[in-house]
Amino acid sequence: MNKKFRLEIFKRASLCRNFEDQVIVNVNNKNITTPVYVSAGQELISSTISTICKERKLKPLIFGQHRCHSSYLAFGGNIIKLIDELLGRETGCTKGRGGSASIHSKEINMYGHDGLMGSNGPIGVGACFATKKPTIIFLGDAAAEEDYVLGALGWASHKKLPILFIVEDNNLSILTKKSVRRNWHMRDVARSFKLEGFDINDSPKEINKYSKLFFKKPTLLNINTNRIYWHAGGGKDSSKTFDRYKNEKKILGTQGIKIDEYYNLYIKKLWKLQLEKQ
Protein backbone atom coordinates (compact mmCIF):
# COMPACT_ATOMS: atom_id res chain seq x y z
CA MET A 1 0.00 0.00 0.00
CA ASN A 2 1.74 3.19 -1.18
CA LYS A 3 1.65 6.46 0.73
CA LYS A 4 -0.59 8.28 -1.77
CA PHE A 5 -3.20 5.52 -1.47
CA ARG A 6 -3.02 5.58 2.32
CA LEU A 7 -3.40 9.37 2.38
CA GLU A 8 -6.51 9.18 0.19
CA ILE A 9 -8.03 6.68 2.62
CA PHE A 10 -7.20 8.91 5.57
CA LYS A 11 -8.73 11.98 3.90
CA ARG A 12 -12.03 10.13 3.59
CA ALA A 13 -11.77 8.83 7.13
CA SER A 14 -11.00 12.33 8.41
CA LEU A 15 -14.07 13.73 6.68
CA CYS A 16 -16.15 10.99 8.31
CA ARG A 17 -14.65 11.30 11.81
CA ASN A 18 -14.93 15.06 11.99
CA PHE A 19 -18.49 14.86 10.68
CA GLU A 20 -19.43 12.37 13.40
CA ASP A 21 -17.75 14.44 16.12
CA GLN A 22 -19.94 17.37 15.10
CA VAL A 23 -23.00 15.11 15.09
CA ILE A 24 -22.26 14.31 18.73
CA VAL A 25 -21.82 18.01 19.54
CA ASN A 26 -25.22 18.74 18.01
CA VAL A 27 -26.87 15.79 19.77
CA ASN A 28 -25.61 17.07 23.11
CA ASN A 29 -26.67 20.64 22.21
CA LYS A 30 -30.11 19.25 21.30
CA ASN A 31 -29.95 20.59 17.74
CA ILE A 32 -30.51 16.97 16.67
CA THR A 33 -33.52 15.48 18.43
CA THR A 34 -33.89 12.11 16.69
CA PRO A 35 -31.82 8.95 17.43
CA VAL A 36 -28.39 8.84 15.81
CA TYR A 37 -26.04 5.91 15.23
CA VAL A 38 -22.58 7.27 14.55
CA SER A 39 -19.75 5.42 12.84
CA ALA A 40 -16.88 7.08 14.70
CA GLY A 41 -14.21 4.46 15.31
CA GLN A 42 -15.31 2.39 12.31
CA GLU A 43 -14.77 4.91 9.49
CA LEU A 44 -11.55 3.36 8.17
CA ILE A 45 -13.62 0.43 6.84
CA SER A 46 -15.80 2.42 4.44
CA SER A 47 -12.94 4.79 3.65
CA THR A 48 -10.65 1.95 2.59
CA ILE A 49 -13.24 0.07 0.55
CA SER A 50 -14.48 3.22 -1.22
CA THR A 51 -10.91 4.16 -2.14
CA ILE A 52 -10.32 0.70 -3.57
CA CYS A 53 -13.52 1.01 -5.63
CA LYS A 54 -12.46 4.42 -6.91
CA GLU A 55 -9.06 3.06 -7.97
CA ARG A 56 -10.83 0.34 -9.94
CA LYS A 57 -13.42 2.76 -11.38
CA LEU A 58 -16.26 0.82 -9.76
CA LYS A 59 -19.55 2.30 -8.56
CA PRO A 60 -21.15 -0.51 -6.54
CA LEU A 61 -24.65 -0.73 -5.17
CA ILE A 62 -24.45 0.07 -1.44
CA PHE A 63 -26.77 -1.25 1.25
CA GLY A 64 -26.12 0.06 4.76
CA GLN A 65 -28.05 0.28 7.99
CA HIS A 66 -27.03 1.52 11.46
CA ARG A 67 -23.77 3.51 11.52
CA CYS A 68 -23.97 4.20 7.81
CA HIS A 69 -22.94 7.88 7.84
CA SER A 70 -19.36 6.93 6.95
CA SER A 71 -20.51 4.65 4.14
CA TYR A 72 -22.48 7.55 2.68
CA LEU A 73 -19.70 10.12 3.05
CA ALA A 74 -16.78 7.90 2.02
CA PHE A 75 -18.54 6.91 -1.21
CA GLY A 76 -19.18 10.55 -2.10
CA GLY A 77 -22.55 11.39 -0.55
CA ASN A 78 -23.57 15.04 -0.28
CA ILE A 79 -22.58 16.35 3.18
CA ILE A 80 -25.12 19.17 3.28
CA LYS A 81 -27.94 16.74 2.52
CA LEU A 82 -26.80 14.48 5.35
CA ILE A 83 -26.68 17.38 7.81
CA ASP A 84 -30.19 18.39 6.75
CA GLU A 85 -31.38 14.80 7.07
CA LEU A 86 -30.19 14.64 10.68
CA LEU A 87 -31.93 17.97 11.31
CA GLY A 88 -35.17 16.50 9.93
CA ARG A 89 -35.41 18.83 6.94
CA GLU A 90 -37.14 18.26 3.62
CA THR A 91 -33.82 19.05 1.94
CA GLY A 92 -32.21 16.00 3.55
CA CYS A 93 -31.00 13.00 1.55
CA THR A 94 -34.18 11.10 2.46
CA LYS A 95 -36.29 14.26 2.75
CA GLY A 96 -35.89 14.34 6.54
CA ARG A 97 -37.91 11.14 6.95
CA GLY A 98 -35.22 8.45 6.99
CA GLY A 99 -32.97 9.75 9.71
CA SER A 100 -29.61 8.42 10.78
CA ALA A 101 -30.14 4.72 10.01
CA SER A 102 -31.87 5.05 6.62
CA ILE A 103 -29.50 7.08 4.47
CA HIS A 104 -30.40 7.04 0.78
CA SER A 105 -28.72 8.52 -2.28
CA LYS A 106 -29.38 7.68 -5.92
CA GLU A 107 -26.28 9.66 -6.87
CA ILE A 108 -23.95 7.18 -5.17
CA ASN A 109 -26.15 4.05 -5.57
CA MET A 110 -26.85 3.88 -1.82
CA TYR A 111 -30.25 2.52 -0.87
CA GLY A 112 -31.98 3.42 2.38
CA HIS A 113 -32.57 0.91 5.13
CA ASP A 114 -36.13 0.08 6.18
CA GLY A 115 -35.32 -0.19 9.89
CA LEU A 116 -35.68 -3.97 10.25
CA MET A 117 -32.27 -5.11 11.48
CA GLY A 118 -30.37 -7.04 8.84
CA SER A 119 -33.04 -6.75 6.14
CA ASN A 120 -30.57 -4.96 3.88
CA GLY A 121 -28.88 -8.36 3.55
CA PRO A 122 -31.54 -10.14 1.48
CA ILE A 123 -32.61 -6.91 -0.22
CA GLY A 124 -29.05 -6.23 -1.35
CA VAL A 125 -28.62 -9.82 -2.52
CA GLY A 126 -31.83 -9.53 -4.53
CA ALA A 127 -30.64 -6.29 -6.15
CA CYS A 128 -27.29 -7.87 -7.01
CA PHE A 129 -28.99 -10.95 -8.46
CA ALA A 130 -31.31 -8.81 -10.59
CA THR A 131 -28.66 -6.39 -11.90
CA LYS A 132 -25.44 -8.41 -11.66
CA LYS A 133 -23.78 -5.18 -10.53
CA PRO A 134 -21.01 -5.14 -7.91
CA THR A 135 -22.76 -4.83 -4.54
CA ILE A 136 -21.67 -4.09 -0.99
CA ILE A 137 -23.80 -4.93 2.04
CA PHE A 138 -22.74 -3.41 5.37
CA LEU A 139 -23.93 -5.27 8.46
CA GLY A 140 -23.28 -5.07 12.19
CA ASP A 141 -22.26 -8.18 14.11
CA ALA A 142 -25.77 -8.45 15.57
CA ALA A 143 -27.59 -7.86 12.26
CA ALA A 144 -25.53 -10.68 10.74
CA GLU A 145 -27.21 -13.09 13.18
CA GLU A 146 -30.65 -12.65 11.65
CA ASP A 147 -31.97 -15.76 9.89
CA TYR A 148 -32.80 -13.98 6.62
CA VAL A 149 -29.19 -12.74 6.42
CA LEU A 150 -27.97 -16.33 6.62
CA GLY A 151 -30.37 -17.38 3.87
CA ALA A 152 -29.15 -14.48 1.73
CA LEU A 153 -25.55 -15.64 2.14
CA GLY A 154 -26.51 -19.06 0.81
CA TRP A 155 -28.26 -17.59 -2.23
CA ALA A 156 -25.36 -15.26 -3.02
CA SER A 157 -23.00 -18.22 -2.89
CA HIS A 158 -25.20 -20.46 -5.03
CA LYS A 159 -25.58 -17.79 -7.72
CA LYS A 160 -21.92 -16.73 -7.53
CA LEU A 161 -22.88 -13.07 -7.25
CA PRO A 162 -20.38 -10.16 -7.48
CA ILE A 163 -21.10 -9.25 -3.87
CA LEU A 164 -19.17 -8.19 -0.81
CA PHE A 165 -20.58 -8.62 2.71
CA ILE A 166 -18.89 -6.37 5.26
CA VAL A 167 -19.60 -7.17 8.90
CA GLU A 168 -18.50 -4.19 10.98
CA ASP A 169 -17.92 -6.21 14.13
CA ASN A 170 -17.63 -3.99 17.19
CA ASN A 171 -18.53 -6.95 19.44
CA LEU A 172 -21.65 -5.26 20.80
CA SER A 173 -25.37 -5.41 20.25
CA ILE A 174 -26.23 -2.23 22.13
CA LEU A 175 -24.34 -3.42 25.27
CA THR A 176 -24.40 -7.21 24.87
CA LYS A 177 -21.13 -8.83 23.78
CA LYS A 178 -20.93 -11.56 21.14
CA SER A 179 -19.78 -14.15 23.70
CA VAL A 180 -23.17 -13.81 25.43
CA ARG A 181 -25.13 -14.05 22.18
CA ARG A 182 -23.44 -16.86 20.27
CA ASN A 183 -20.60 -19.40 20.12
CA TRP A 184 -19.92 -19.24 16.37
CA HIS A 185 -18.16 -16.85 13.98
CA MET A 186 -19.37 -15.22 10.77
CA ARG A 187 -16.20 -16.27 8.94
CA ASP A 188 -17.08 -19.92 9.59
CA VAL A 189 -20.72 -19.39 8.60
CA ALA A 190 -19.63 -17.81 5.30
CA ARG A 191 -17.29 -20.70 4.57
CA SER A 192 -20.01 -23.22 5.36
CA PHE A 193 -22.02 -21.60 2.55
CA LYS A 194 -18.93 -21.82 0.29
CA LEU A 195 -18.29 -18.09 0.30
CA GLU A 196 -14.85 -16.65 0.79
CA GLY A 197 -14.87 -15.76 4.49
CA PHE A 198 -12.23 -14.01 6.60
CA ASP A 199 -11.89 -12.55 10.08
CA ILE A 200 -9.63 -9.47 9.98
CA ASN A 201 -8.96 -6.15 11.69
CA ASP A 202 -9.96 -2.70 10.42
CA SER A 203 -6.56 -1.43 9.30
CA PRO A 204 -6.44 -0.24 5.67
CA LYS A 205 -3.48 -2.52 5.00
CA GLU A 206 -5.39 -5.57 6.23
CA ILE A 207 -8.57 -4.77 4.28
CA ASN A 208 -6.61 -4.05 1.10
CA LYS A 209 -4.91 -7.45 1.35
CA TYR A 210 -8.24 -9.14 0.55
CA SER A 211 -9.33 -6.66 -2.13
CA LYS A 212 -8.25 -8.97 -4.95
CA LEU A 213 -11.38 -11.01 -4.17
CA PHE A 214 -13.77 -8.05 -4.31
CA PHE A 215 -16.66 -8.72 -6.71
CA LYS A 216 -14.87 -11.69 -8.29
CA LYS A 217 -16.23 -14.20 -5.77
CA PRO A 218 -18.99 -13.82 -3.16
CA THR A 219 -16.94 -12.70 -0.16
CA LEU A 220 -17.58 -11.91 3.50
CA LEU A 221 -15.14 -9.92 5.60
CA ASN A 222 -15.84 -9.94 9.32
CA ILE A 223 -13.90 -6.81 10.27
CA ASN A 224 -13.12 -6.39 13.95
CA THR A 225 -13.45 -2.75 14.89
CA ASN A 226 -14.45 -0.44 17.77
CA ARG A 227 -17.17 2.12 18.17
CA ILE A 228 -16.21 5.29 20.04
CA TYR A 229 -19.66 6.48 21.09
CA TRP A 230 -22.74 4.77 22.52
CA HIS A 231 -25.00 2.61 20.38
CA ALA A 232 -27.26 5.67 20.10
CA GLY A 233 -26.73 9.11 21.53
CA GLY A 234 -23.80 11.28 22.52
CA GLY A 235 -21.94 9.43 25.26
CA LYS A 236 -18.60 7.62 24.98
CA ASP A 237 -18.30 3.90 25.63
CA SER A 238 -14.86 4.06 27.23
CA SER A 239 -11.85 6.35 27.25
CA LYS A 240 -9.69 3.22 26.79
CA THR A 241 -11.28 2.07 23.51
CA PHE A 242 -8.69 1.54 20.77
CA ASP A 243 -9.12 4.23 18.13
CA ARG A 244 -8.00 3.13 14.65
CA TYR A 245 -8.38 6.65 13.29
CA LYS A 246 -5.99 8.15 15.84
CA ASN A 247 -3.59 5.28 15.18
CA GLU A 248 -3.59 6.04 11.42
CA LYS A 249 -3.09 9.75 12.11
CA LYS A 250 -0.07 8.89 14.24
CA ILE A 251 1.37 6.69 11.46
CA LEU A 252 0.98 9.50 8.91
CA GLY A 253 2.55 12.03 11.27
CA THR A 254 2.50 15.70 10.22
CA GLN A 255 0.41 15.01 7.11
CA GLY A 256 -2.22 13.20 9.17
CA ILE A 257 -2.42 16.07 11.66
CA LYS A 258 -2.82 18.65 8.87
CA ILE A 259 -5.56 16.64 7.17
CA ASP A 260 -7.43 16.23 10.46
CA GLU A 261 -7.16 19.95 11.26
CA TYR A 262 -8.45 20.89 7.81
CA TYR A 263 -11.53 18.68 8.01
CA ASN A 264 -12.20 19.72 11.59
CA LEU A 265 -12.53 23.36 10.51
CA TYR A 266 -14.36 22.50 7.27
CA ILE A 267 -17.04 20.38 8.92
CA LYS A 268 -17.57 22.83 11.76
CA LYS A 269 -18.15 25.57 9.19
CA LEU A 270 -20.68 23.47 7.24
CA TRP A 271 -22.65 22.64 10.39
CA LYS A 272 -22.64 26.29 11.46
CA LEU A 273 -23.93 27.46 8.07
CA GLN A 274 -26.72 24.87 8.00
CA LEU A 275 -27.80 25.57 11.56
CA GLU A 276 -28.01 29.29 10.78
CA LYS A 277 -30.59 28.46 8.08
CA GLN A 278 -33.09 27.28 10.70
Side-chain angles (χ1 to χ4, degrees):
M1 181 178 285
N2 63 48
K3 192 170 184 180
K4 182 182 177 184
F5 190 65
R6 197 157 195 160
L7 280 169
E8 178 60 29
I9 292 170
F10 188 75
K11 285 177 185 177
R12 293 173 188 233
S14 188
L15 170 70
C16 297
R17 170 57 68 90
N18 283 286
F19 182 87
E20 297 293 51
D21 284 345
Q22 285 306 301
V23 169
I24 295 300
V25 168
N26 284 285
V27 167
N28 291 332
N29 288 344
K30 302 191 186 314
N31 290 321
I32 299 173
T33 57
T34 54
V36 294
Y37 309 91
V38 298
S39 53
Q42 303 178 191
E43 56 276 294
L44 264 299
I45 298 173
S46 290
S47 297
T48 303
I49 295 170
S50 64
T51 304
I52 291 166
C53 288
K54 182 184 178 183
E55 287 281 310
R56 297 182 183 177
K57 295 180 171 54
L58 294 172
K59 193 174 180 182
L61 307 182
I62 304 163
F63 293 85
Q65 51 162 28
H66 297 82
R67 296 184 217 302
C68 64
H69 300 170
S70 283
S71 301
Y72 174 84
L73 292 172
F75 279 91
N78 185 295
I79 304 171
I80 299 300
K81 287 184 178 181
L82 182 54
I83 293 173
D84 285 355
E85 183 63 34
L86 298 179
L87 294 173
R89 295 175 177 171
E90 184 74 23
T91 47
C93 53
T94 52
K95 301 188 182 298
R97 296 177 178 84
S100 177
S102 302
I103 304 302
H104 181 85
S105 171
K106 284 184 178 180
E107 290 76 18
I108 63 167
N109 288 340
M110 185 168 179
Y111 298 95
H113 187 243
D114 62 12
L116 186 62
M117 193 169 72
S119 65
N120 56 318
I123 293 170
V125 167
C128 185
F129 176 66
T131 65
K132 301 299 183 290
K133 291 180 179 179
T135 301
I136 305 173
I137 296 172
F138 290 96
L139 299 159
D141 52 274
E145 296 168 8
E146 297 295 340
D147 55 353
Y148 36 77
V149 171
L150 303 181
L153 291 177
W155 182 255
S157 173
H158 178 55
K159 294 300 179 180
K160 297 180 173 56
L161 300 181
I163 197 164
L164 178 62
F165 296 93
I166 299 295
V167 181
E168 296 185 331
D169 185 350
N170 62 31
N171 192 40
L172 292 167
S173 176
I174 305 180
L175 290 172
T176 307
K177 292 183 178 181
K178 278 192 304 181
S179 59
V180 177
R181 299 177 347 240
R182 52 177 156 105
N183 64 351
W184 46 270
H185 301 284
M186 281 306 298
R187 169 202 60 205
D188 299 328
V189 170
R191 290 176 179 177
S192 74
F193 282 120
K194 299 183 180 178
L195 280 82
E196 298 289 332
F198 303 94
D199 193 63
I200 66 174
N201 68 48
D202 59 356
S203 75
K205 188 174 180 180
E206 184 79 1
I207 296 168
N208 187 55
K209 188 165 72 175
Y210 294 91
S211 65
K212 62 182 178 294
L213 295 170
F214 289 5
F215 315 120
K216 291 187 171 66
K217 297 180 179 180
T219 299
L220 181 144
L221 296 183
N222 189 85
I223 304 179
N224 295 284
T225 188
N226 296 283
R227 72 185 193 199
I228 301 301
Y229 297 102
W230 289 344
H231 167 70
K236 281 201 169 184
D237 281 333
S238 170
S239 60
K240 297 178 181 179
T241 300
F242 175 71
D243 191 332
R244 179 67 67 183
Y245 177 78
K246 287 184 178 179
N247 187 68
E248 284 295 303
K249 184 167 72 170
K250 185 177 179 181
I251 290 170
L252 292 170
T254 303
Q255 285 177 297
I257 292 168
K258 286 181 178 179
I259 290 167
D260 184 60
E261 288 175 347
Y262 168 79
Y263 280 110
N264 177 268
L265 293 172
Y266 174 61
I267 297 298
K268 280 181 179 177
K269 182 179 179 180
L270 289 183
W271 272 95
K272 184 175 183 292
L273 288 171
Q274 289 310 103
L275 287 167
E276 287 173 351
K277 290 182 180 180
Q278 285 185 319

